[in-house]
Amino acid sequence: MSAIDNLPPLREVIANHQLSARKSLGQNFLLDLNLTAKIARQAGDLSDCDVLEIGPGPGGLTRGLLSEGARKVLALEKDTRCMPALQEIAEAYPGRLEVINGDALEINPLTHLTPPIRIAANLPYNVGTELLVRWLTPPEWPPFWQSLTLMFQREVAERIVAQPGSKAYGRLAILSQWRSDARIVLSLPPGAFTPPPKVSSAVVHLTALPEPRFPADAAILSRVVAAAFNQRRKMLRAALKGVTPGIEDHLIAAGIKPTQRAEEVSLEAFCALAREIEQA
């Protein structure tokens, strides 16, 4: 039995079900159940929440979330090999774990969840950033989730919390900090995973704000920052010339020098630019 529940240790589960991690699916398994429970605690009190988990694999974080009291966990897993292991967890926690075999990019989880909803996941590296951007840029705000507790490569985590002027500052920082409070809450060495990745990892906790920090249209802001940071070394008047006619006038109206580069521009100024473009 493991330290957190009556199920076998994860190493035994992986051996029993022959669950070698697949690089093609972005899999790196966390085997320390005390560590997965610690990650689950970063999501806060889950006793009155449904939790969405993406890519549970053999269920280490799933078990952490359930042992920490999550009302219900909805786990979306693309790898059919993991289904028997996850079914064993569902039987150990009757009525509290629902598992769907499918692609998280294609499934609407809201038909399976009851608010309040939080998201917690060791995200597969090949879909992690895309999922985060989707969760941060819905047309309506507040979103369906209260908070995100997500594991990324350390480099990606630092991009989420980066400030203007730093090398890590870019699109993820803008979109994350526009509508949420974001902070790194845990760091994990490569040795915590099987197989060990080449880089360190970190857990980021994002809490949805009631309203965005500054008014802006989500689609326009996303388009502007994507273009601005796609060519970081260029002056903004050149990087954004394809976004809308008269971009230099819009930049000046938003209080941005056309000769500035994207990494020098604050979140507030990018939002002002998005409003100028929307009103044009």
Side-chain angles (χ1 to χ4, degrees):
M1 291 189 297
S2 76
I4 66 169
D5 54 31
N6 294 324
L7 291 163
L10 275 176
R11 201 174 291 277
E12 187 177 319
V13 172
I14 288 170
N16 289 344
H17 296 283
Q18 299 180 320
L19 295 177
S20 57
R22 286 185 175 170
K23 189 174 182 180
S24 63
L25 294 173
Q27 291 175 331
N28 294 95
F29 297 150
L30 268 174
L31 298 188
D32 185 340
L33 287 165
N34 290 316
L35 185 53
T36 62
K38 185 176 182 180
I39 294 168
R41 287 194 289 274
Q42 302 304 315
D45 182 0
L46 302 175
S47 59
D48 66 344
C49 295
D50 282 7
V51 180
L52 172 62
E53 183 186 8
I54 310 297
L61 180 56
T62 314
R63 288 164 64 175
L65 292 165
L66 291 165
S67 70
E68 290 298 318
R71 181 175 67 192
K72 174 187 173 178
V73 174
L74 172 66
L76 307 184
E77 177 54 64
K78 190 175 184 178
D79 189 352
T80 55
R81 299 176 307 150
C82 297
M83 293 299 110
L86 294 169
Q87 182 57 37
E88 291 172 3
I89 301 172
E91 291 169 2
Y93 291 93
R96 294 176 57 204
L97 174 61
E98 180 180 357
V99 183
I100 297 177
N101 181 207
D103 189 336
L105 295 173
E106 299 173 357
I107 295 170
N108 177 11
L110 295 184
T111 58
H112 303 266
L113 295 166
T114 302
I117 299 165
R118 300 185 188 184
I119 301 176
N122 173 13
L123 289 173
Y125 78 90
N126 48 2
V127 296
T129 300
E130 182 174 352
L131 284 169
L132 175 62
V133 170
R134 285 189 185 190
W135 291 329
L136 291 170
T137 56
E140 302 296 328
W141 198 266
F144 73 87
W145 51 270
Q146 287 185 336
S147 68
L148 310 173
T149 305
L150 306 173
M151 190 185 307
F152 293 100
Q153 293 180 358
R154 178 81 195 188
E155 177 188 352
V156 176
E158 289 174 347
R159 283 161 53 197
I160 291 169
V161 302
Q163 296 300 307
S166 67
K167 288 183 178 180
Y169 182 67
R171 174 173 172 247
L172 281 186
I174 295 289
L175 297 182
S176 299
Q177 297 170 38
W178 176 44
R179 285 172 154 178
S180 75
D181 281 326
R183 57 195 177 93
I184 294 175
V185 293
L186 274 179
S187 296
L188 298 94
F193 299 86
T194 297
K198 295 180 180 179
V199 296
S200 296
S201 300
V203 177
V204 183
H205 184 74
L206 302 97
T207 305
L209 297 171
E211 296 179 354
R213 295 188 194 279
F214 308 103
D217 178 85
I220 295 174
L221 181 63
S222 296
R223 192 167 80 246
V224 166
V225 296
F229 288 100
N230 188 44
Q231 303 180 70
R232 297 175 70 95
R233 296 180 182 178
K234 283 193 173 184
M235 296 177 187
L236 281 174
R237 66 183 174 199
L240 297 177
K241 66 180 180 181
V243 171
T244 188
I247 190 60
E248 192 157 343
D249 291 338
H250 292 314
L251 286 164
I252 293 169
I256 301 169
K257 295 178 181 177
T259 54
Q260 282 186 282
R261 291 171 173 79
E263 56 268 32
E264 301 169 339
V265 177
S266 69
L267 165 62
E268 183 175 7
F270 271 119
C271 290
L273 178 59
R275 293 195 301 274
E276 288 293 332
I277 293 171
E278 182 182 14
Q279 293 164 10

